[in-house]
């Protein structure tokens, strides 16, 4: 068995020495030595693949061993075929039958003793053969390139050890020329270690997955004369009109060669230069370009630089490299991040590499679909959290137009827990106090430890060198949640000395000593205001939120409030939602046959951080959640107001006017009568003026005034809807794609009233010992005297209810609720409320009222506690079968401050399959997550009213509802509206409702959607108030204005037979 290395060897050079297991006490192997992070690796360079290459992806032979000591010798003659299987590259061995995935957010899954790793360090040995194509001319320098291997590896060719590398998300390239034999098969062996000292600084809130997970290439470079690397920069003049393109070349030349450089745009050659060079290692070219088309995320115009190396004598091409280039200049000006002189607003998201079947071995097509979906949802920026992404992601961002915050492969968050636990620091302690107690100590492990300086610097160099030529990359980041120490200063100093053209970010540097901006995570709106105003208008560094709006489960809430705050302060330049997608891994349980997207603990992985990995704007299959739909509305690039017969349009873009959009409008009449459908009154097109960025424009819409006059006297509401769509195809969407929309109620002062009661006489009532039964020609309604509930209801002999109407205040906790509110709500017993009947009686009604009225006095409270609601419920039933339920609540005793919701709940018969409503839709909506849902009349099946969150929780609420109807397939059923019994019982009010085949208990007891068993009947809720969702899973909770206060209230629900 061979390990590596003499402990006294340097960090970057030296040959490996074979050792025996008994010698471990005398040395540390490479994977346990923080000063050895590479051996014989070619210096980092920009990403390009030469024309001579072989992609070595595919099926490799694979051996899985529990420790490095059990790994096979690198001796082709001694391989025991029975111990080897097959594995796909790129891929992770845990997803191909070897070991298990493990998820942690903060904590390390191994003992904290840097730089040592567990003795049980699973080791995967990969093996395959390759041959150098006969048509590859000589001499060539042959390289093996690995774009991503987790977490560390040695590589061998034909039995010869070539080198070592760590830094899982960084490339490694090795010169294998001397080890390769041309004209016959060659064997490459890669020994990969699951754990290395590098794992301590790769604790990045994701699955721990191992193996060769990105592309592997054999590359052929010219041996004697070649282009090793290049660095393209663009610098504008003071007016941002003309520009200089500078090109720094790194060369290896043994003879005098000719270098040609050509710049082409999308139509023709812009300019060319050439020169002869002899034995130089570097050369700089400068081009002055008149009035180039600038690159921005809104107009990603690309040029191409072609660099050709030729033989001086016969002009034969030796090597050609092409790079797409965008003319753009990033600066900090007047305290703001600017591009081409213009301050920009980041409407961004954080993105991990994730695929539900393949882990971080993400196909390029899947990555492109991510980026297209981002653009289509008005996202203009992506933070590569918390490591450099797939190298070709940046080509796509150049092409599609996305600002990129590119981050070094560095995070060591787990040291916090190693410090905090012994101190018994409670998690509910103020975050700033926790930081003060723990972060300085945590930093001493690696970030503020000089022994780790070179390892930190290596990760910064790898980041910058690989991605430096991409216009989309506008900010470098030193990593994430690694506290702060001298090694960050070293990274910053190197970064600024090597690339002055981009600012540098690091959230952990709270004083921005080694950062060009202040960066924060998950502040409250009040805290954000303080950050914005801290230095008045004399600030020199901007503020961004590298993480906010935690999108876990049913959330995030209050996105619009954050956008309003950003827009209100010049210093605030937006931020990046956490995060893009859930990280669920598809799993089929062999014992039960159940299939689901797994999260921490589902593979038996211990320790784990459970479902915290399911915190994205997309489901694990990368299809949008309701949160992404809400974000698209919040990130809309324009805003509309109505001023008389004009619409006022505000352009929120930073560079483009609005001439790439067209606008259509329609005016709908939406009736308050559940028997009516919407009516189109008017529609048309709007010719948009050339509204410049950040400016407003007015458009006459003369139809508004006569429409307003026409609609007086019409029942219901009159809504104007304007849709803004692309005129032409773009790289990210087709013509007709809706970019933004706006709605305005034209008759906003008009009041809504319920249909008047037309009954001629009260219905019949049968009074028995246990029930009041109210009967009409085609209905019967039973009020249970014992429980005070509406327990039975039949219409035309068909049952309506399977469970009675009753007051409830609980909801299945959302991920955001679970962090704090749900614990408090359960503490107050809101999930176990019981009803005690104090009195029930028929009230005498005078002859003018044509209904029966039954009053119930009750006390609704939880076990154990001495608080509750003193409740009066009034049932009014008329001859037509219309039921008014009036509820008057008054909390008594030491009550909770807030409630999840408050309303009436019942179960409808299984015949009910369809739902139609007038309100927000078609998707779910909550008080702080509803602006993406248009007001209209919608219809869905009951099954489609459920949102299938991958961790079941509260879902499917519809807010601002005017009426709802539930019907069977023949169109028969009931309708519901609400009214204000406090002021005017004929005045309609809006309400929340939900309808699905699951109860709150069903949802909260299920770990995965496959655990849910749909009920045959329909669980319906009619809520007078329903709390927002907030972002408390990691961030602020529900804003006060969206909370449901526990206070006295009255509300009324009207139920009617339909049709």
């Amino acid at each position: 068995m061979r390990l590596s290395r003499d402990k006294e060897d340097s960090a970057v050079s030296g040959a490996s020495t074979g050792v025996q297991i008994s010698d471990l006490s005398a040395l540390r192997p490479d994977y346990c030595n923080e000063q050895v992070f590479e051996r014989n690796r070619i210096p980092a360079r920009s990403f390009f693949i030469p024309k001579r290459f072989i992609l070595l992806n595919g099926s490799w032979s694979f051996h899985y061993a529990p420790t490095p000591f059990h790994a096979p010798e690198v001796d082709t003659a001694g391989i025991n075929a029975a111990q080897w299987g097959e594995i796909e590259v790129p891929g992770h061995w845990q997803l191909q039958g070897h070991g298990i995935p493990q998820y942690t957010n903060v904590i390390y899954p191994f003992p904290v003793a840097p730089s040592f790793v567990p003795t049980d360090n699973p080791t995967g040995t990969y093996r395959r053969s390759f041959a150098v194509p006969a048509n590859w001319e000589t001499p060539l320098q042959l390289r093996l390139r690995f774009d991503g291997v987790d977490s560390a590896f040695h590589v061998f060719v034909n039995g010869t050890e070539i080198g070592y590398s760590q830094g899982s998300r960084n490339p490694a390239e090795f010169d294998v020329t001397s080890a390769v034999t041309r004209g016959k098969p060659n064997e490459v062996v890669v020994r990969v270690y699951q754990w290395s000292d590098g794992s301590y600084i790769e604790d990045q809130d994701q699955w721990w997955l191992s193996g060769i997970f990105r592309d592997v290439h054999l590359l052929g470079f010219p041996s004697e004369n070649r282009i090793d690397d290049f660095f393209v920069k663009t610098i504008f003049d003071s007016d941002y009109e003309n520009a200089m393109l500078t090109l720094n070349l790194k060369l290896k030349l043994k003879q005098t060669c000719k270098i040609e450089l050509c710049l082409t745009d999308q139509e023709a050659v812009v300019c060319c230069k050439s020169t002869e060079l002899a034995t130089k290692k570097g050369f700089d070219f400068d081009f002055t370009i008149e009035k180039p088309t600038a690159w921005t995320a809104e107009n990603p115009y690309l040029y191409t630089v072609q660099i050709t190396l030729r033989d001086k004598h016969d002009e034969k091409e030796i090597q050609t490299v092409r790079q797409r280039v965008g003319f753009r200049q990033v600066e900090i000006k007047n305290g703001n991040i600017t591009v081409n002189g213009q301050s920009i607003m980041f409407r961004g998201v954080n993105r991990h590499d994730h695929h539900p079947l393949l882990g971080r071995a993400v196909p390029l097509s899947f990555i492109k679909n991510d980026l297209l979906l981002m653009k289509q949802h008005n996202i203009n920026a992506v933070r590569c959290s918390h490591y450099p992404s797939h190298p070709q992601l940046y080509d796509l961002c150049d092409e599609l137009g996305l600002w990129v915050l590119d981050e070094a492969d560095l995070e060591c968050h787990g040291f916090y827990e190693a410090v905090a636990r012994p101190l018994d620091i409670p998690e509910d302690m103020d975050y700033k106090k926790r930081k003060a107690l723990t972060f300085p100590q945590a930093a001493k492990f690696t970030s503020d430890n000089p022994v780790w300086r070179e390892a930190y610097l290596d990760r910064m160099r790898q980041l910058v060198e690989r991605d430096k030529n991409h216009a989309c990359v506008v900010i470098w980041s030193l990593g994430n949640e690694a506290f702060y120490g001298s090694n960050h200063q070293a990274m910053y100093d190197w970064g600024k000395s090597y690339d002055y053209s981009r600012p540098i970010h690091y959230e952990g540097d709270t004083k921005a000593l080694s950062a060009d901006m202040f960066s924060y995570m998950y502040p409250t709106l009040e805290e954000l205001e303080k950050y914005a105003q801290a230095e008045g208008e004399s600030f020199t560094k901007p503020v961004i939120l590298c993480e906010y709006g935690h999108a876990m489960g049913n959330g995030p809430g209050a996105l619009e409030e954050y956008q309003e705050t950003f827009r209100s302060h010049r210093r605030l330049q937006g931020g990046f939602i956490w995060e893009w997608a859930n990280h669920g891994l598809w799993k089929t349980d062999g014992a039960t046959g159940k299939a689901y997207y797994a999260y921490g603990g589902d593979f038996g992985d211990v320790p784990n951080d459970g479902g915290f990995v399911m915190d994205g704007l997309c489901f694990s299959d990368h299809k949008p959640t309701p949160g992404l739909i809400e974000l698209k509305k919040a990130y809309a690039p324009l805003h509309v107001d109505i001023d008389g017969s004009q619409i006022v349009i505000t352009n929120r873009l930073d560079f483009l006017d609005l001439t790439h959009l067209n606008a259509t409008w329609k005016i709908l009449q939406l009736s308050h009568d559940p028997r009516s459908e919407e009516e189109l009154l008017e529609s048309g097109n709007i010719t948009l003026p050339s509204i410049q960025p950040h400016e407003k424009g007015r458009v006459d819409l003369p139809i508004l005034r006569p429409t307003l006059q026409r609609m007086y006297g019409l029942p219901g509401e009159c809504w104007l809807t304007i849709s803004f769509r692309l005129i032409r195809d773009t790289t990210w969407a087709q013509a007709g794609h809706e970019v933004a929309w706006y709605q305005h109620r034209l008759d906003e002062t008009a009041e809504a009233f319920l249909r008047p009661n037309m009954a001629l006489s009260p219905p019949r009532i049968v009074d028995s010992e246990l029930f009041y039964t109210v009967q009409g020609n085609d209905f019967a309604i039973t009020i249970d005297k014992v429980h005070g509930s509406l327990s039975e209801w039949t219409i035309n002999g068909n049952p309506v209810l399977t469970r009675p109407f009753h007051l409830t205040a609980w909801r299945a906790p959302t991920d955001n609720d679970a962090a704090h509110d749900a614990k408090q709500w359960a503490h107050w017993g809101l999930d176990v409320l019981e009803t005690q009947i104090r009195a029930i009686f028929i009230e005498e009604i005078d002859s003018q009222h044509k209904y029966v009225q039954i009053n119930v006095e009750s006390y609704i409270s939880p076990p154990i506690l001495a608080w509750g609601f003193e409740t009066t419920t009034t049932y009014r039933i008329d001859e037509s079968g219309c039921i008014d339920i009036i509820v008057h609540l008054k909390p008594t005793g030491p009550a909770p401050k807030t409630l999840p919701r408050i309303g009436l709940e019942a179960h409808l018969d299984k015949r009910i399959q369809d739902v139609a409503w007038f309100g927000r839709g078609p998707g779910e909506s909550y008080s702080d997550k509803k602006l993406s849902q248009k007001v209209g009349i919608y219809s869905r099946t009951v099954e489609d009213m459920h949102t299938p969150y991958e961790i079941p929780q509260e879902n499917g609420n519809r807010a601002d509802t005017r009426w709802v109807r539930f019907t069977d397939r023949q169109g028969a059923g009931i309708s519901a509206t609400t009214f204000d019994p406090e002021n005017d019982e004929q005045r309609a009010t809006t309400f929340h409702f939900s309808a699905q085949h699951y109860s709150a208990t069903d949802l909260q007891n299920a770990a995965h959607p496959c655990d849910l068993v749909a009920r045959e009947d329909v669980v319906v809720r009619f809520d007078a108030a329903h709390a927002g969702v907030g972002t408390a899973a990691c961030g602020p909770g529900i804003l006060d204005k969206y909370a449901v206060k526990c206070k006295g209230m009255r509300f009324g629900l009207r139920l009617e037979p339909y049709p």
Side-chain angles (χ1 to χ4, degrees), residues 361-563:
V362 188
L364 188 61
S365 59
F366 198 80
I367 293 173
K368 184 172 184 178
N369 286 337
D370 270 357
L371 301 181
L372 290 173
L373 204 57
M374 289 179 192
K375 290 287 289 187
Q376 291 161 8
H377 287 80
N378 295 327
I379 292 163
N380 72 359
V382 58
R383 178 188 181 208
C384 295
S385 52
H386 300 292
Y387 43 81
S389 187
H390 187 294
Q392 289 175 277
L393 171 139
Y394 304 87
D395 292 323
L396 294 170
C397 290
D398 285 342
E399 174 188 331
L400 300 174
L402 285 159
W403 310 119
V404 173
L405 189 158
D406 205 8
E407 194 149 88
D409 187 11
L410 199 159
E411 179 175 342
C412 54
H413 204 173
F415 292 131
Y416 164 80
E417 198 70 24
V419 172
R421 281 202 188 186
L423 297 176
D424 279 335
I425 294 176
E427 283 299 308
D428 57 359
M429 178 186 286
D430 177 74
Y431 181 59
K432 291 181 181 178
K433 291 181 180 178
R434 283 191 285 138
K435 286 180 67 173
L437 287 171
T438 60
F439 278 31
Q441 293 183 60
K444 294 297 181 183
F445 282 99
T446 58
S447 293
D448 204 30
N449 183 345
V451 177
W452 286 76
R453 181 179 183 275
E454 290 302 318
Y456 273 55
L457 276 172
D458 179 65
R459 292 177 184 245
M460 186 63 178
R461 292 191 190 102
Q462 290 272 35
L463 167 76
V464 175
E465 291 285 20
R466 195 195 71 170
D467 298 337
K468 59 183 178 279
N469 291 321
H470 289 283
C472 64
V473 178
V474 293
I475 300 174
W476 301 120
S477 176
L478 305 182
N480 183 68
E481 292 180 316
F483 318 104
Y484 181 70
S486 58
N487 295 333
H488 290 110
Q489 183 68 55
M491 295 171 75
Y492 178 85
D493 291 342
W494 180 87
K496 298 302 284 188
S497 66
Y498 185 74
D499 179 18
Y500 61 84
S501 69
R502 293 176 175 96
I504 291 178
H505 162 274
Y506 181 55
E507 178 269 340
D509 181 3
T510 57
K511 296 180 180 179
L513 302 173
S514 306
D516 299 314
M517 64 207 71
F518 288 91
S519 178
Y520 301 97
M521 294 182 179
Y522 311 109
T524 65
L525 290 167
E526 293 76 17
E527 289 170 334
L528 188 56
E529 288 275 355
K530 290 179 182 178
Y531 299 147
Q533 299 172 10
E535 299 177 64
E537 284 296 306
S538 62
F539 62 88
T540 58
K541 294 182 179 182
V543 170
I544 68 166
L545 302 186
C546 63
E547 296 177 22
Y548 79 107
H550 198 264
M552 192 170 183
N554 189 344
L559 289 174
E560 181 57 30
E561 282 78 2
Y562 277 89
Q563 299 310 305

Side-chain angles (χ1 to χ4, degrees), residues 809-823:
W810 185 251
R811 70 183 184 190
T814 67
D815 288 317
N816 291 309
D817 292 341
H820 180 266
D821 287 339
K823 298 170 187 175

